[in-house]
Amino acid sequence: MPVSIQDVADRANVSISTVSRVLNRRNIVNQETRKRVESAISDLGYSPNVFARGLMLRKSHILGLVLPDLHGEFYSEVIRGANLRARELGYNLMISSIVAKDDGSELMAAVGDHGLVDGLAVMISEVNARTRATLEKIKIPLVVLDGDVDGVKHDSVVIDQRTGVVALLRHLIEDCQARRIVFVGGLETNIDTIERLDAYREVTADAGIEVTASDVHHLDYQYDTAFELGVKKVREWARRRAAVFAANDEMAAGIIDAALAAGLSTPDDLPVVGFDDTRVATMTRPRLTTVRVPMSSMGAAAIDLLCQRIENPKRPAVKLSLETELVVRESCGAPSAITS
Amino acid sequence: MPVSIQDVADRANVSISTVSRVLNRRNIVNQETRKRVESAISDLGYSPNVFARGLMLRKSHILGLVLPDLHGEFYSEVIRGANLRARELGYNLMISSIVAKDDGSELMAAVGDHGLVDGLAVMISEVNARTRATLEKIKIPLVVLDGDVDGVKHDSVVIDQRTGVVALLRHLIEDCQARRIVFVGGLETNIDTIERLDAYREVTADAGIEVTASDVHHLDYQYDTAFELGVKKVREWARRRAAVFAANDEMAAGIIDAALAAGLSTPDDLPVVGFDDTRVATMTRPRLTTVRVPMSSMGAAAIDLLCQRIENPKRPAVKLSLETELVVRESCGAPSAITS
DNA sequence: TACTCCACTGAAAGCGCTGTCACCATTAAA
DNA sequence: TTTAATGGTGACAGCGCTTTCAGTGGAGTA
């Protein structure tokens, strides 16, 4: 059933070598011969066998993308960006998900098909010794997304969260007169939470804002848990004239709703800001002041880096940092909120 | 660098045939020999070359998933479901996106890599002659998602939207006393819109509710356009004591906000219901009464069907219909809204 | 003893492709 | 006229694997 290069060769009265040459646009093939071969190809609807080709060239034109879970807008946007760019560059995309708190075994399994993919983009939300060890075993072009794993030489795409947090909190402090800021983050081991918390501590310290242990909360990035926390805390926070910096929009939404449930209003009684600028950021009332994270660009950048390395394996490792953007809406209580 | 079957054979002092037999668990290999081979394999960290294997077996263990665009929760959930199930069944997933209103050329391109994938799950939101023709050309196991393409013999996974719409509108009519229902859908050519509109006409007819041409609107499934339409129409709708059935949650949210902007409230002045039960359904105030669509199950089911057909190509085509579920919240104005 | 049978193993033939090499006309250069 | 260069082509050796077929040696049977 499948038509092979031999069939094409027979129909065009040439050898398979010539067909191969036409296919690969190399060496010189006579105009007429090429025409004959080309029409034979289209007549037969021939397309080269991927495996035979891969066997010879040791290239599959498949890129792997490994993500922790596949929930939510963040991941789907990364996939979208990666997919589009991969297509542009003539690659296919293979997706695998691993659980967020992976001990390395899932990562290993997902990565198992070395030799199938020409390169691998891996996003790890928690870096530990196991994942590190697994990454080191990977011998094909590798890009680490949203996390720089020390001790492993590889390309990486990170988001410049620090700048985003700084802009966001400065806005809260300078434009919204916040004198106290509560931090609501994800798990303490989460890579994004760590970065955002660091930046938070830095900005507050700079501004002379006191941060006590009870000002820092570690949840799980979900609306519900943030809501629960909020139910217990919003009155106290409001009393202390604090603003809330949630490390993602979902949690910010949970806090806003908890405040509302407690009879408080945002931003008057309790300013709240989020992070990521996902769909929920414009669904809350008031809408969220947040930081836009270039999610799909991240996917695209990863693919770019991967392809560059495939073409030039010797190139020194690159760390690409993507800009974020402060998006001011109403939840922060800024006097002149910019509509966006 | 890459270790081949020959290396393993050398190290275990056997022929490559024996190694292959150990690998494929077939024929009988002596216990001791097998042990030797197995330890050679793990010593060398050998794993068979995917291409050589594919070349022989004509199987890649890769499944393709082609989706229209990759925006939004719907698609990411489908991917998630498909990915998980594929993993369970020992397959890899390759993703491609095509534009929603594809003329068939993108689909063809996405599908071009026949021979790479063992099977293909395709979701088409608009069926036309071109896409139909393209689908007919596909000679590998094929599952069509969310749309039955007549004239093409294939497996399909559909959502029983009709039942969902019936339950939703009956609820609106019987429990919420709606005497008039406005339909806001996607493009007229959109496959989901067509089904939902059909069911809408049926239910309204059954209930003796009059539907004029101006009661049916075709937008694009986006919040913004629904909001714009709402701005122009909500007063009129409210005056006529109509309820709004939006064909997805995003548009329902847009209408609710338009009503609010016009000084009207949902559900008192204008009941609104949505469809899909995505994240936004619980972000609106009031929260949306809507129909839950099993998005990730859809992806999983597609993979199931694909694998079944790969195992048994002769099996007659199957059409799998997935159940939806009415989710009653507050936007419909039901007297006793069930919290969900 | 001679034969068959059986458990096990190796040699070798491809799978469909790419790439090297040799070859054959021509034509240009010596 | 001989030699070399050049455009164009085919033969063929793999790539790493699976699978068929043909042993091989020892146990069982006549």
Side-chain angles (χ1 to χ4, degrees):
Chain A
M1 174 72 250
V3 25
S4 83
I5 196 173
Q6 184 66 61
D7 301 326
V8 177
D10 290 349
R11 182 176 245 261
N13 275 314
V14 293
S15 72
I16 59 166
S17 316
T18 301
V19 178
S20 175
R21 274 188 283 260
V22 170
L23 249 28
N24 297 289
R25 326 217 159 285
R26 54 194 309 146
N27 295 28
I28 318 102
V29 177
N30 183 288
Q31 270 303 333
E32 264 181 52
T33 321
R34 149 164 279 136
K35 283 262 167 61
R36 273 214 318 284
V37 172
E38 277 166 352
S39 63
I41 288 177
S42 70
D43 287 356
L44 265 36
Y46 166 78
S47 88
N49 180 299
V50 189
F51 299 109
R53 207 168 220 178
L55 190 52
M56 281 300 299
L57 304 182
R58 314 191 148 275
K59 295 255 293 164
S60 63
H61 279 262
I62 301 177
L63 264 24
L65 179 59
V66 179
L67 298 174
D69 293 326
L70 281 169
H71 271 291
E73 186 176 338
F74 194 90
Y75 300 115
S76 85
E77 282 296 297
V78 170
I79 293 177
R80 200 177 122 256
N83 190 66
L84 257 40
R85 183 57 51 86
R87 165 71 55 84
E88 282 173 24
L89 297 174
Y91 280 85
N92 286 113
L93 234 211
M94 233 170 61
I95 312 266
S96 307
S97 64
I98 57 177
V99 298
K101 38 168 96 9
D102 183 38
D103 62 353
S105 60
E106 282 218 24
L107 176 55
M108 199 60 233
V111 156
D113 335 82
H114 278 26
L116 207 192
V117 296
D118 293 342
L120 210 50
V122 179
M123 180 156 170
I124 9 177
S125 50
E126 267 179 70
V127 178
N128 53 41
R130 300 291 206 77
T131 46
R132 201 188 310 273
T134 306
L135 286 180
E136 272 174 37
K137 287 205 193 92
I138 298 177
K139 305 231 167 52
I140 56 174
L142 171 70
V143 171
V144 174
L145 274 180
D146 193 23
D148 198 25
V149 183
D150 302 325
V152 182
K153 182 202 150 295
H154 54 67
D155 293 321
S156 60
V157 178
V158 299
I159 285 175
D160 183 5
Q161 316 201 50
R162 207 188 142 284
T163 311
V165 174
V166 170
L168 181 66
L169 298 188
R170 285 252 172 87
H171 172 74
L172 223 39
I173 295 164
E174 291 164 15
D175 304 335
C176 312
Q177 276 77 46
R179 298 307 308 143
R180 187 153 217 123
I181 300 175
V182 171
F183 176 85
V184 180
L187 292 176
E188 293 170 66
T189 49
N190 179 276
I191 207 163
D192 294 319
T193 297
I194 294 171
E195 270 198 67
R196 292 170 198 183
L197 179 56
D198 280 352
Y200 159 82
R201 290 196 189 282
E202 193 182 311
V203 176
T204 47
D206 278 2
I209 290 181
E210 186 197 2
V211 172
T212 67
S214 65
D215 288 334
V216 174
H217 301 268
H218 286 286
L219 306 180
D220 60 355
Y221 282 127
Q222 302 293 313
Y223 174 97
D224 289 338
T225 43
F227 183 85
E228 284 167 31
L229 175 73
V231 165
K232 293 188 213 125
K233 296 285 191 176
V234 283
R235 286 172 207 284
E236 176 193 330
W237 291 338
R239 191 172 351 103
R240 293 167 57 209
R241 310 301 308 161
V244 177
F245 165 36
N248 77 344
D249 296 335
E250 282 285 345
M251 293 192 294
I255 305 283
I256 288 179
D257 285 347
L260 197 65
L264 302 173
S265 90
T266 296
D268 298 339
D269 302 315
L270 185 70
V272 176
V273 297
F275 210 95
D276 287 348
D277 196 29
T278 51
R279 181 73 186 93
V280 300
T282 51
M283 288 299 298
T284 57
R285 292 294 173 274
R287 300 177 310 159
L288 280 175
T289 286
T290 185
V291 172
R292 183 167 302 155
V293 169
M295 300 177 276
S296 69
S297 307
M298 221 176 146
I303 299 301
D304 279 340
L305 251 42
L306 223 37
C307 291
Q308 285 170 24
R309 178 154 302 280
I310 287 170
E311 277 177 28
N312 177 14
K314 301 286 168 207
R315 192 200 54 174
V318 164
K319 177 169 174 175
L320 201 63
S321 184
L322 301 180
E323 295 295 309
T324 55
E325 182 192 353
L326 175 64
V327 179
V328 177
R329 297 203 182 88
E330 300 84 28
S331 72
C332 59
S336 62
I338 297 152
T339 299
S340 175
Chain B
M1 176 71 248
V3 26
S4 83
I5 196 173
Q6 185 65 60
D7 301 326
V8 177
D10 290 349
R11 182 176 243 261
N13 274 314
V14 293
S15 71
I16 59 168
S17 318
T18 303
V19 178
S20 174
R21 274 188 282 261
V22 170
L23 248 29
N24 297 289
R25 324 220 158 286
R26 55 196 307 145
N27 296 27
I28 318 102
V29 176
N30 183 287
Q31 271 302 334
E32 265 182 50
T33 320
R34 148 164 279 135
K35 284 263 168 58
R36 275 214 318 283
V37 172
E38 277 167 351
S39 63
I41 287 177
S42 71
D43 287 357
L44 264 36
Y46 166 76
S47 85
N49 181 298
V50 191
F51 299 111
R53 206 168 222 178
L55 190 52
M56 281 302 296
L57 304 181
R58 309 185 155 281
K59 294 254 292 160
S60 63
H61 279 262
I62 302 176
L63 263 24
L65 178 58
V66 179
L67 299 173
D69 292 326
L70 283 167
H71 270 292
E73 186 176 339
F74 194 90
Y75 301 114
S76 90
E77 282 296 297
V78 170
I79 293 176
R80 200 176 122 256
N83 190 65
L84 256 41
R85 182 57 50 86
R87 167 69 55 82
E88 280 172 26
L89 297 174
Y91 280 85
N92 286 112
L93 233 213
M94 233 170 61
I95 312 265
S96 307
S97 64
I98 57 178
V99 298
K101 42 168 104 342
D102 184 36
D103 62 353
S105 60
E106 282 218 22
L107 177 55
M108 200 60 233
V111 155
D113 334 84
H114 278 26
L116 207 192
V117 297
D118 292 343
L120 210 50
V122 178
M123 181 156 172
I124 9 177
S125 50
E126 267 179 71
V127 178
N128 52 42
R130 298 292 206 76
T131 46
R132 201 188 310 273
T134 306
L135 287 179
E136 272 174 37
K137 288 206 194 94
I138 299 178
K139 304 229 169 49
I140 57 174
L142 171 70
V143 171
V144 173
L145 276 179
D146 194 23
D148 197 26
V149 182
D150 303 325
V152 184
K153 185 200 147 296
H154 54 65
D155 293 321
S156 60
V157 179
V158 300
I159 286 174
D160 183 4
Q161 315 200 50
R162 210 188 139 283
T163 310
V165 174
V166 170
L168 181 66
L169 298 188
R170 285 253 173 85
H171 172 74
L172 221 41
I173 295 166
E174 291 163 16
D175 304 336
C176 312
Q177 276 77 45
R179 297 309 306 144
R180 184 152 219 124
I181 302 176
V182 169
F183 176 84
V184 180
L187 292 177
E188 293 169 64
T189 49
N190 180 277
I191 207 163
D192 294 318
T193 296
I194 293 170
E195 271 198 65
R196 292 170 197 182
L197 179 56
D198 280 352
Y200 159 82
R201 289 196 190 280
E202 195 183 309
V203 176
T204 47
D206 279 0
I209 290 181
E210 187 198 1
V211 171
T212 67
S214 65
D215 288 334
V216 174
H217 301 268
H218 287 286
L219 306 180
D220 60 356
Y221 283 125
Q222 303 293 314
Y223 174 97
D224 289 337
T225 44
F227 182 86
E228 283 168 28
L229 175 72
V231 165
K232 291 187 215 128
K233 294 285 190 176
V234 283
R235 286 173 209 284
E236 175 193 332
W237 292 337
R239 192 175 347 107
R240 292 168 56 208
R241 308 303 306 160
V244 176
F245 165 36
N248 77 343
D249 295 337
E250 283 285 345
M251 292 192 295
I255 303 284
I256 288 179
D257 285 349
L260 196 67
L264 302 173
S265 90
T266 296
D268 298 338
D269 302 315
L270 185 70
V272 176
V273 296
F275 211 95
D276 288 347
D277 195 28
T278 52
R279 181 74 184 92
V280 300
T282 52
M283 287 301 297
T284 57
R285 292 296 174 271
R287 301 176 310 158
L288 279 176
T289 286
T290 184
V291 172
R292 183 169 300 155
V293 168
M295 300 177 275
S296 70
S297 307
M298 219 175 147
I303 300 301
D304 280 339
L305 252 41
L306 223 37
C307 291
Q308 287 170 25
R309 176 155 303 282
I310 287 169
E311 278 176 27
N312 176 14
K314 301 285 165 206
R315 194 198 55 173
V318 166
K319 177 170 174 174
L320 201 63
S321 183
L322 302 179
E323 296 293 309
T324 55
E325 183 192 354
L326 175 64
V327 180
V328 177
R329 298 203 181 89
E330 299 83 28
S331 72
C332 57
S336 62
I338 298 152
T339 300
S340 174

